[in-house]
């Protein structure tokens, strides 16, 4: 990283010493100023909550300054802002963040919103019984951000919506549940009859998948050939060991849980790359659950291509045109830039690449 | 004699007995309600009654809507006429032999006369075209005028004034944008102020546009800035814009201003908007956790740009940016439309148009005074004004009355011009 110029420091310091503290992590004045404003706002909110008064006494003023200084220092040494403030907005939700659980990313927010739009548009809610009970499954929950946002975006259109989520780390499941309660309490989410359920599970565990199918089948009284889950989503660990050392930001490397980012070595896949193991499993799960929509987040366009290819191979048998695969970029509803291709040939098929930015997700749609 | 028209027969009978009262009744009515307006009101009421009658037989939503629009005028006219006829009835009571009754009538009459004033104004106001945005929520934008930090500090004070005003009145509002420039806080007149670049308050109540539209214009401040060592008074200005905005629930949208309808003033074709996002450089996704949420929208046909970086969420910044962009475009289109209309008429009417450059209000700190230049109202207790207190109510109220008065004057001028044109045509025809 290039060194910051002295004059920049001097300018920051003249405005506020806090700004100078934030400058090394933020790298430029504009983002340092934004972060300082958010930290300030956080301090004011915290204090007005605890004291409940509008007028600030000199003591609270001093306490505020002390807290502000402490938070800026923490941020200044590289702690992610979301851990410093304890939260990150995600769509219309407020997601609590804690060390040990991955921070929700804006790219994830973008594809989740895009998916919700598609699910609304492509589901005939008038069809008897069919659409009212959309079942969503979020694997590799983390903070629960994906499942919760989908619920909040879809609950109006699907009165009998249900969301299930699983994570192998109980810290994540605990946080996801807290986020459920937190957002329900703020009225951002409605959770009648426990339509949202977050549980511990290792998605590689065959017994877990078997019980999921049994449970899903029983819900309808008899085993059916239709989908067990309508929407399957996952943002699994997808960074390679090399990519972790080389491409991640320092505050990611130093402060976020590596187990959420880099898949553990699994000998299971013969020819594939180790960072793709989760997709192999997710596609198996998808085949069993017969979901109408699936979105898996990926690390870049290359990985997107590999996952799309795996998906095409996996569903070759089901018949032409039944399964459609798309690749979404970071901002799927934005106009692509000139140099960004809008389709790719994969296994002899022309696969659409939607939006603008890095390759970010693989979307798989199955006609029912 | 124009006034003669307004005196009914029974009043004339009363003439010998009470000259003074008669004069009062007639001049008041005529001063407040020129014949052109009364004629117009009667025409509208007649149309309304016809529509209402036809609705009774067979209901048609279109007719019902039109009747609904006209009912405001019809109601106002009815009330005014009722008051007028009770004046004449009271006046006949002056012939009564009973002294007590005469006294009673006299008291009643002066009360009714006072009422007629208000009713006449209400009737005139009901005739003025309703602002197409009147029922909408609004955005209130505050920006410093050109030159100097002092304008920026005062802009912050003005923004705070409206925020406090809303919170005191229980008006739902949220800060859509609040951007300052580098510089220390200052405290002039007790409150701490930051150097403002631009701030936007979204006022969510229906009808907020009508409530705040009178606030648009240049607000001037005269005071000694806290940074000024020589004690010299500075004059600077702050611009306030009031833009129509949208209800949270689209179903509540009044006036067919739906922004998904290509005919709406607010329709924006997404293909004409360039969206630029601040992006985490490099791989993005799980690789990066820095919050880079800034967004900029450019509406290419008009060149209007909006940038937003208030929230940590890009998603929210984007929503807020779209709200602001739509409002600005809608307002611009409307101004263009009105500009055209004014140019077409080429009349005196445009003289009083509130342009953005006009100075509408002065806040003078050393004299503890706030003056509204349109209504001419002077109030003291400046701190209460700037706190959004009841003194500000009085100022805003006076502005609103001024706006109504202006609208009525415009209407009269228009009606008289139309009448003259019609008469001219008639005369020409006659000659031929
Ligand atoms: C990249 S994080 C995604 C978190 C969250 N969904 C989001 O988008 O912010 C991946 C998550 O997968 C979980 N995970 C890792 N291995 C897992 C496994 N075998 N079964 C279930 N979850 C696993 C990690 O604990 C981590 O919370």
């Amino acid at each position: 990283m290039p060194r910051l110029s002295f004059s920049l420091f001097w300018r920051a310091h003249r405005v506020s010493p806090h700004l100078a503290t934030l400058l090394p992590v933020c790298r430029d004045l504009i983002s340092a100023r934004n972060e300082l404003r958010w930290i300030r706002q956080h301090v004011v909110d915290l204090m007005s909550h605890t004291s409940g008064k509008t007028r600030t006494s000199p003591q609270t003023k001093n306490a505020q300054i002390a807290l502000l200084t402490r938070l800026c220092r923490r941020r200044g040494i590289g702690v992610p802002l979301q851990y410093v403030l304890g939260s990150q907005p995600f769509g219309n939700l407020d997601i609590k963040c804690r060390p040990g659980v991955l921070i929700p990313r804006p790219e994830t927010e973008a594809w989740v919103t895009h998916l919700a739009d598609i699910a609304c548009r492509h589901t005939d809610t008038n069809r008897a019984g069919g659409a009212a009970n959309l079942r969503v499954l979020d694997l590799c929950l983390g903070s629960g951000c994906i499942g919760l946002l989908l619920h909040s975006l879809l609950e109006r259109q699907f009165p009998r919506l249900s969301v299930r989520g699983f994570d192998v780390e109980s810290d994540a499941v605990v946080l996801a549940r807290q986020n459920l309660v937190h957002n329900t309490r703020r009225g951002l989410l409605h959770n009648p009859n426990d339509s949202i359920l977050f549980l511990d599970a290792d998605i590689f565990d065959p017994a877990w998948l078997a019980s999921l199918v049994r449970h899903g089948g029983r819900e309808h009284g008899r085993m059916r050939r239709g989908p067990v889950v309508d929407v399957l989503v996952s943002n699994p660990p997808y960074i390679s060991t090399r990519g972790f050392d080389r491409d991640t930001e320092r505050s990611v490397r130093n402060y976020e849980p590596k187990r959420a980012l880099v898949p553990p070595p699994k000998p299971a896949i013969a020819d594939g790359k180790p960072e793709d193991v989760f997709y192999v499993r997710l596609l198996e799960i998808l085949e069993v659950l017969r979901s109408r929509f699936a979105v898996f987040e990926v690390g870049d366009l290359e990985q997107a291509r590999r996952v799309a290819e795996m998906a095409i191979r996996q569903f070759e048998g089901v018949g032409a045109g039944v399964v459609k695969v798309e690749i979404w970029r970071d901002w799927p509803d934005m106009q692509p830039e000139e140099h960004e291709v809008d389709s790719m040939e994969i296994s002899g098929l022309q696969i659409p690449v939607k939006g603008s930015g890095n390759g970010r997700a693989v979307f798989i749609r199955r006609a029912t | 004699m124009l006034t003669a028209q307004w005196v009914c027969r029974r009043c004339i009978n009363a003439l010998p007995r009470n000259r003074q009262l008669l004069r009062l009744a007639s001049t008041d009515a005529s001063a407040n309600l020129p014949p052109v307006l009364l004629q117009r009101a009667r025409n509208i009421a007649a149309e309304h009654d016809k529509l209402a009658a036809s609705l009774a037989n067979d209901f048609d939503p279109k007719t019902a809507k039109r009747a609904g629009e006209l009912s405001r005028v019809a109601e106002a006219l009815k009330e005014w006429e009722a008051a007028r006829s009770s004046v004449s009835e009271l006046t006949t009571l002056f012939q009564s032999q009973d002294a007590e009754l005469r006294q009673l009538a006299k008291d009643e009459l002066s009360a009714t006369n006072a009422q007629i004033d208000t009713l006449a104004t209400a009737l005139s106001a009901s005739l003025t075209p309703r602002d197409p945005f009147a029922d909408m929520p609004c955005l209130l934008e505050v920006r410093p005028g050109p030159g100097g930090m002092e304008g920026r500090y005062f802009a912050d004070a003005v923004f705070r004034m409206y925020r406090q005003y809303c919170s005191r009145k229980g008006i739902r509002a949220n800060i859509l944008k609040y951007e300052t420039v580098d510089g220390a806080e200052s405290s002039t007149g007790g409150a701490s102020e930051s150097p403002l670049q631009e701030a936007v308050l979204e006022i969510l109540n229906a009808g907020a546009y009508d409530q705040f539209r009178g606030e648009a214009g240049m607000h001037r401040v005269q005071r000694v800035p806290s940074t000024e060592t020589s004690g010299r008074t500075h004059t600077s200005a702050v611009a306030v814009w009031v833009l129509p905005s949208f209800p949270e629930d689209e179903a509540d949208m009044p006036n067919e201003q739906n922004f998904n309808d290509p005919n709406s003033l607010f329709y924006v074709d997404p293909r004409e908007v360039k969206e630029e996002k601040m992006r985490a450089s490099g791989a993005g996704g799980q690789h990066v956790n820095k919050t880079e949420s800034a967004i900029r929208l450019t509406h290419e046909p008009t060149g209007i740009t909006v940038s937003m970086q208030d929230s940590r969420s890009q998603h929210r910044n984007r929503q807020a940016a779209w709200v602001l962009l739509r409002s600005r475009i809608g307002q611009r289109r409307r101004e263009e439309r009105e500009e055209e209309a004014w140019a077409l008429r080429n009349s005196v009417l445009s003289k009083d148009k509130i342009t953005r450059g006009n100075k509408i209000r002065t806040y003078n700190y050393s004299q503890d005074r706030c003056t509204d230049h349109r209504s001419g109202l002077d109030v003291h207790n400046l701190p209460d004004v700037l706190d959004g207190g009841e003194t500000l109510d009085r100022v805003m109220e006076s502005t609103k009355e001024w706006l109504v008065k202006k609208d009525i004057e415009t209407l009269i001028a228009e009606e008289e011009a139309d009448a003259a044109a019609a008469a001219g045509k008639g005369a020409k025809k006659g000659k031929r």
Side-chain angles (χ1 to χ4, degrees), chain A residues 286 311-312 315 318-325 349 364-367:
Chain A
L286 177 60
I312 292 165
F315 293 105
V318 301
V322 176
V323 172
K324 289 211 174 75
V325 177
L349 293 173
I364 304 164
R365 198 174 144 203
R366 182 188 189 126

Side-chain angles (χ1 to χ4, degrees), chain B residues 125-287:
Chain B
S126 79
L127 287 167
T128 60
R130 195 152 165 72
D131 189 295
F133 300 157
D135 299 324
M136 298 175 88
C138 73
L139 303 183
L140 188 136
E141 278 192 70
V142 177
R143 257 180 272 169
M149 287 296 269
E150 164 59 6
R152 293 188 183 282
Y153 286 121
F154 185 64
D156 198 31
V158 168
F159 190 62
R160 182 173 162 276
M161 171 176 87
Y162 289 118
R163 257 173 38 219
Q164 308 260 89
Y165 175 83
C166 288
S167 87
R168 178 175 63 83
K169 291 266 195 177
I171 299 172
R172 287 184 313 132
N174 68 56
I175 299 172
L176 200 63
K177 175 168 185 165
Y178 183 80
E179 204 176 306
T180 54
V181 299
D182 290 343
E185 284 186 5
S186 139
S187 79
T188 310
S192 112
E193 297 166 357
S194 302
L196 198 72
Q197 167 74 17
E198 181 180 273
V200 182
L201 192 66
E202 181 177 27
I203 306 174
L204 297 157
N205 288 25
Y209 182 82
D210 198 42
Q211 197 176 354
F212 286 90
R213 71 187 168 117
E215 300 303 295
M218 281 304 216
H219 295 236
R220 185 173 70 164
V221 61
Q222 293 173 321
R223 63 179 186 179
V224 183
S226 66
T227 48
E228 170 64 62
T229 42
S230 66
R232 197 167 54 88
T233 296
H234 288 223
T235 296
S236 31
V238 166
V240 173
W241 274 260
V242 175
L243 310 175
S245 164
F246 303 93
E248 293 140 300
D249 192 346
E250 241 181 84
D252 298 341
M253 189 87 76
N255 305 334
E256 289 98 34
Q257 301 286 17
N258 190 316
F259 55 74
N260 292 320
D261 174 359
N263 296 319
S264 153
L265 276 178
F266 298 97
Y267 177 75
V268 179
D269 183 346
R271 283 168 304 186
E272 294 182 339
V273 176
K274 188 167 83 183
E275 250 186 64
E276 292 163 281
K277 290 189 184 195
M278 192 74 139
R279 291 188 184 169
S281 51
Q286 292 172 10
H287 301 89

Side-chain angles (χ1 to χ4, degrees), chain A residues 26 33-34 37-38 80 82 87 91-93 105 107 109 235-236 238 249 251-252 256 331 356 358 360, chain B residues 182-183 275 277 279 282-291 293 309-316 318:
Chain A
C26 293
R33 212 185 288 131
N34 278 335
R37 195 180 69 240
W38 295 324
Q82 297 87 340
S87 73
N92 56 327
L93 305 181
R105 304 294 203 260
E107 292 89 344
E109 182 185 36
N235 177 15
Y238 55 60
E249 205 182 22
S251 73
V252 173
E256 291 198 88
W331 322 111
S356 171
N358 289 320
R360 187 55 62 212
Chain B
D182 290 343
E275 250 186 64
K277 290 189 184 195
R279 291 188 184 169
Q286 292 172 10
H287 301 89
V288 180
N289 64 21
K290 196 165 155 192
T291 319
S293 57
Q309 53 185 1
D310 278 47
S311 168
R312 284 195 279 147
S313 154
Q314 196 161 60
H315 178 76
R316 275 178 215 177
R318 187 181 185 207

